Amino acid sequence: MISSPKQDVFQAISDPTRRKILELLFDTEKAVNEICGHFPISRTAVTKHLHILLDAGLVKAQKKGRHTFYYLQPEPLLELRRWLSFYEQFWNRNMANLLRCIETLKQDSHNEK
């Protein structure tokens, strides 16, 4: 049985600190102390951010001896990617319209000469 995340992915990544934590975990697992060294906030605050990311399924924790290591679980980000891809067609259409306008202005400017 697959349990659904307790925290919404969109809410989890809405905070810049949590986005930075995800970046830090992109290529390697890190212990809490190592993550804390990148922020001007308390260990408790970093731990709270990590728990939100855990609840959203964006990171996993693994105990190794006395330390807990966190690593990225990117699969939940696919939801975000799917959502953004819908709006990508909007931007592509607007860019195409902008390029047509620029070309028209160039042609009009060239014809006036």
Side-chain angles (χ1 to χ4, degrees):
M1 177 181 196
I2 298 174
S3 63
S4 60
K6 299 174 194 169
Q7 184 77 18
D8 179 71
V9 172
F10 294 91
Q11 289 174 331
I13 66 164
S14 68
D15 185 274
T17 300
R18 291 192 289 270
R19 290 193 303 269
K20 177 68 175 172
I21 291 171
L22 292 175
E23 288 175 25
L24 291 170
L25 298 175
F26 176 76
D27 58 354
T28 185
E29 63 184 26
K30 291 187 176 26
V32 176
N33 287 340
E34 193 175 352
I35 295 169
C36 288
H38 293 271
F39 300 98
I41 58 177
S42 69
R43 179 185 168 102
T44 303
V46 169
T47 302
K48 286 180 182 181
H49 285 295
L50 284 166
H51 283 289
I52 290 169
L53 293 171
L54 279 164
D55 286 345
L58 289 164
V59 298
K60 294 264 182 175
Q62 184 177 16
K63 195 92 163 137
K64 293 182 182 177
R66 297 182 334 168
H67 300 283
T68 302
F69 288 84
Y70 294 86
Y71 58 96
L72 179 66
Q73 284 294 114
E75 291 81 10
L77 292 172
L78 290 174
E79 177 185 355
L80 175 64
R81 185 176 184 185
R82 282 191 293 272
W83 185 80
L84 288 171
S85 71
F86 175 78
Y87 292 95
E88 187 175 353
Q89 60 188 319
F90 166 79
W91 294 111
N92 290 339
R93 190 172 50 242
N94 282 344
M95 288 302 279
N97 289 338
L98 177 60
L99 289 173
R100 278 194 295 278
C101 287
I102 290 171
E103 288 301 318
T104 301
L105 288 172
K106 281 183 182 178
Q107 288 176 358
D108 289 349
S109 174
H110 182 65
N111 290 340
E112 289 176 359
K113 292 181 180 179

